[in-house]
Amino acid sequence: MDITKIADFEFANTFGQAARPYDVALFASGFEMRARHIAEQVNAEFAEEVYCLGFQDERAKDAVRLENDRVISSIAGRSVISARADDADVVYRLLNDSLRGKKRPRLFIDYTSMSKQWYAAVLCWSKYNGLDIDGLSIDFMYSVGEHSRNRKGLVIRDLYSMPGCTGTVAVGKRNAVAIGLGFDSAAARVVLERLQSDEVLAFYARPGAVAGDDDAVEEFNKELLAASGVLRLPLPLRSVERAYRSLTQLVATTRSDCQVIIAPMGPKPLVLASLLTAHAFDDVACLRVSTHQNEPENVTAAGEIVGVRVQIERTPIV
């Protein structure tokens, strides 16, 4: 299966009169109020099967989390499925069980509050599943949120390859790291030190979720951005399609001389664009930066929804 088209998609078009119901809709319940923002705007008839993943966490009884569980499970008609943030298998099982026998399924993925591993697993399954599927489309939806700019205390635990994005080892090539920047400059420095980068490509959202976010990211990361040889790449938060195009152009011009590793941090639309870029090149890896923060941030919805449609078709046998 190959990704054949990536195009920005309006959330309002999800419910057009000509649109048939989705075969599967997948939500995630987390600890931020915006986790239920998109679910509150749909009804139970918009998809044949609706599921919600919830973080298997000691904070699962948090009041915001419980309300998110209630709202989304009322749409799903079933309880929230508890899973670890790094569990890709739970996504594979859901999709295998729900889409067996479907020739051209349609998926709706609200990745607003998902772990990177979960929505990376959706892409991985879509390309490498063993079902008799001719093609499928995935509508990824994201509720833009207002984040705190005080992200101190973010601890980098480890770095892992995302599902389907392991890349290949290129002996003798220089190491180029495309690093996503956010409000924690120390996190980016730790990742670059661990990867021992020879070249640095720094990307971040511009414009950001709210006015001034992009300037704040540049200020927090000014030492890195001012370092000799660092290439900066502002990307549009509200267009996964354009962010993907820019990243693929950058990677395409770099990979001939360097082993390219993408380590996205910052807003999820740029993480999704990074995943799609890695899927476009067999030799490019996309890493999940495993982090920990003592208190989860309760992000509120800014009101905008960013959508992108990914079309995947079976590779013809030549």
Side-chain angles (χ1 to χ4, degrees):
M1 303 284 282
D2 290 324
I3 296 174
T4 57
K5 187 176 181 181
I6 298 167
D8 292 333
F9 183 73
E10 292 289 337
F11 175 70
N13 294 340
T14 301
F15 309 106
Q17 292 181 353
R20 67 177 174 87
Y22 290 95
D23 294 282
V24 168
L26 184 59
F27 295 85
S29 178
F31 306 99
E32 49 187 16
M33 290 177 63
R34 67 168 173 163
R36 59 183 183 265
H37 177 233
I38 293 176
E40 289 173 329
Q41 302 181 57
V42 303
N43 55 54
E45 288 73 40
F46 92 110
E48 292 182 7
E49 299 284 347
V50 181
Y51 298 96
C52 179
L53 300 177
F55 291 96
Q56 195 176 80
D57 193 291
E58 66 274 7
R59 299 165 294 194
K61 298 300 183 183
D62 174 86
V64 173
R65 166 65 188 276
L66 289 173
E67 180 62 11
N68 289 337
D69 285 4
R70 185 194 67 78
V71 170
I72 303 176
S73 61
S74 69
I75 297 296
R78 50 169 57 93
S79 299
V80 172
I81 300 168
S82 182
R84 298 190 321 274
D86 63 352
D87 185 1
D89 289 338
V90 66
V91 175
Y92 301 149
R93 288 194 299 269
L94 280 177
L95 297 178
N96 277 327
D97 293 345
S98 302
L99 298 178
R100 196 174 305 277
K102 303 281 188 179
K103 284 297 188 179
R104 301 195 71 85
R106 298 176 68 232
L107 280 64
F108 179 99
I109 308 296
D110 176 4
Y111 68 110
T112 303
S113 291
M114 284 189 181
S115 71
K116 296 183 182 75
Q117 192 81 342
W118 292 346
Y119 57 97
V122 172
L123 271 179
C124 183
W125 180 91
S126 299
K127 286 191 65 177
Y128 302 111
N129 71 82
L131 302 185
D132 186 20
I133 291 175
D134 293 332
L136 68 155
S137 65
I138 315 170
D139 290 347
F140 286 98
M141 297 293 172
Y142 173 80
S143 176
V144 177
E146 299 184 22
H147 288 265
S148 167
R149 296 174 187 170
N150 183 21
R151 295 292 305 276
K152 303 299 182 184
L154 190 66
V155 178
I156 305 297
R157 285 178 166 171
D158 216 332
L159 306 174
Y160 302 94
S161 294
M162 300 262 219
C165 301
T166 56
T168 57
V169 177
V171 179
K173 282 190 174 182
R174 291 166 58 80
N175 194 20
V177 177
I179 183 84
L181 303 182
F183 294 134
D184 192 320
S185 59
R189 290 198 300 270
V190 170
V191 171
L192 291 173
E193 287 171 3
R194 292 193 184 184
L195 293 175
Q196 298 182 338
S197 55
D198 297 307
E199 296 188 19
V200 177
L201 318 170
F203 62 92
Y204 54 96
R206 187 172 189 92
V210 297
D213 275 1
D214 41 15
D215 293 333
V217 169
E218 290 181 346
E219 177 63 25
F220 286 134
N221 295 277
K222 61 184 178 182
E223 292 183 8
L224 171 61
L225 292 172
S228 176
V230 172
L231 177 65
R232 65 169 71 189
L233 181 66
L235 296 174
L237 170 69
R238 292 163 179 81
S239 175
V240 174
E241 177 187 356
R242 287 166 49 209
Y244 162 75
R245 302 296 176 202
S246 296
L247 276 173
T248 52
Q249 289 174 12
L250 179 63
V251 169
T253 58
T254 306
R255 61 194 279 265
S256 58
D257 300 319
C258 297
Q259 168 78 60
V260 179
I261 300 170
I262 309 176
M265 294 186 286
K268 287 185 173 72
L270 300 192
V271 177
L272 180 57
S274 299
L275 284 164
L276 291 166
T277 300
H279 277 289
F281 304 99
D282 291 338
D283 56 343
V284 174
C286 187
L287 302 185
R288 172 172 62 90
V289 181
S290 176
T291 62
H292 175 75
Q293 199 166 22
N294 290 330
E295 292 296 327
E297 184 183 2
N298 184 10
V299 181
T300 57
E304 295 177 87
I305 296 175
V306 173
V308 65
R309 175 167 290 175
V310 178
Q311 190 72 37
I312 300 175
E313 300 290 340
R314 181 166 297 283
T315 308
I317 299 175
V318 180

